[in-house]
Amino acid sequence: MSGLEITRSSGYGLIRGFARFHDLSDALFADLDLDAAEIDGGGTRVCQIISIVAGQDLRFERVHLRNAVNAINAEERGSSYVQGDGVVLEEDTARATFVDCHARDFGDAGFDLKCDGVQLERCSMRRCKYGVRVWRDNPANLLDMCVISDPAPRPENAAACLWLGGQVTLRSCSLATVPEAAVIRFGEGPDTKTRVAHMIGGQIDTSRGGALLAGEAGRLILEDVVLDGTRYSGTAEWTGSRLVLS
């Protein structure tokens, strides 16, 4: 399907989700209020409020997503991984833009983006295991004026404001973590060659506890960033076990 627009709609009690597409391009989602209402359908009935498997040129404006956590019987999937996502774009998607979109209280990611090329502008994520997951090694990936706070760790489930499997630029963003979580957690994406986050301006807050970096080896470049109250420019290198600041 192509040329689809879904606007000015709401959904409540979305056990599996609001909309799922196998192949969708040139689409607009705007002014949506979508609430899973904390109804846990279990580990075999995972909630993904909007899911797109393949397609390109996808735009989301003023989409509000919240309250999906799949923890019951998670082991039936073969692991203890807690699920529940806001928007999921799988790896055969490309070029997605999010403007003024907001995600709250997800068991996994507010925005789980395997998409090749993503831009998020004035978006926010709070109390998600991962606020946003950026999987691809695309230099065009951008977070602009986004706020990500209070990642929600659970037993055997790590948490971070940002999960990164490739490259992303963060411009004028605010990231605040909590104990037993991280600001950025590096991982393995479908085309991972480098794991680099370049943050320009904005602020990072680890004052309540939690790590700056975690997971696989990766690098955070800081340019005029307020880090725990002090303006800082430099590089934070995570070896996979040790943090090196320069």
Side-chain angles (χ1 to χ4, degrees):
M1 183 181 294
S2 65
L4 176 70
E5 294 188 5
I6 300 179
T7 64
R8 298 186 302 279
S9 301
S10 64
Y12 184 79
L14 305 169
I15 297 174
R16 293 298 304 275
F18 174 74
R20 295 181 178 222
F21 301 91
H22 290 286
D23 197 324
L24 178 68
S25 294
D26 301 305
L28 171 67
F29 298 83
D31 299 299
L32 305 181
D33 185 12
L34 306 174
D35 190 339
E38 301 180 349
I39 300 174
D40 191 343
T44 59
R45 292 180 295 278
V46 170
C47 183
Q48 297 177 339
I49 291 184
I50 297 175
S51 171
I52 303 174
V53 175
Q56 59 189 11
D57 298 316
L58 307 165
R59 187 171 180 87
F60 301 80
E61 299 178 359
R62 299 175 300 281
V63 177
H64 293 253
L65 312 141
R66 53 191 176 274
N67 296 326
V69 178
N70 294 104
I72 298 173
N73 298 327
E75 291 79 6
E76 291 183 13
R77 296 191 313 273
S79 78
S80 58
Y81 194 89
V82 173
Q83 296 278 11
D85 297 292
V87 175
V88 177
L89 304 181
E90 300 293 358
E91 61 186 270
D92 288 331
T93 59
R95 299 189 299 277
T97 301
F98 298 79
V99 180
D100 292 317
C101 294
H102 308 281
R104 303 283 186 276
D105 299 291
F106 284 94
D108 196 358
F111 302 97
D112 191 350
L113 308 178
K114 297 183 181 73
C115 183
D116 190 8
V118 296
Q119 295 192 11
L120 289 81
E121 180 180 346
R122 298 192 305 275
C123 296
S124 71
M125 296 124 261
R126 189 178 183 194
R127 294 188 303 269
C128 306
K129 183 200 300 180
Y130 300 114
V132 58
R133 302 187 78 172
V134 178
W135 290 74
R136 305 300 289 272
D137 201 5
N138 188 325
N141 292 333
L142 173 68
L143 274 64
D144 188 12
M145 296 182 288
C146 293
V147 177
I148 313 174
S149 64
D150 303 304
R154 291 177 172 83
E156 300 181 63
N157 283 251
C161 297
L162 166 66
W163 186 99
L164 181 61
Q167 301 181 59
V168 69
T169 297
L170 300 97
R171 189 166 60 207
S172 302
C173 293
S174 175
L175 287 72
T177 193
V178 297
E180 300 181 16
V183 174
I184 299 174
R185 186 173 187 87
F186 296 107
E188 188 71 23
D191 59 355
T192 299
K193 297 182 182 66
T194 58
R195 302 181 186 94
V196 179
H198 184 188
M199 188 166 181
I200 304 168
Q203 61 183 2
I204 291 174
D205 184 0
T206 65
S207 62
R208 291 177 291 170
L212 178 62
L213 304 176
E216 303 291 334
R219 184 166 74 254
L220 170 62
I221 301 169
L222 299 166
E223 186 176 331
D224 199 29
V225 175
V226 177
L227 176 59
D228 292 331
T230 301
R231 196 169 297 278
Y232 182 83
S233 294
T235 299
E237 194 84 32
W238 176 248
T239 68
S241 61
R242 185 167 62 95
L243 180 66
V244 180
L245 295 174
S246 61

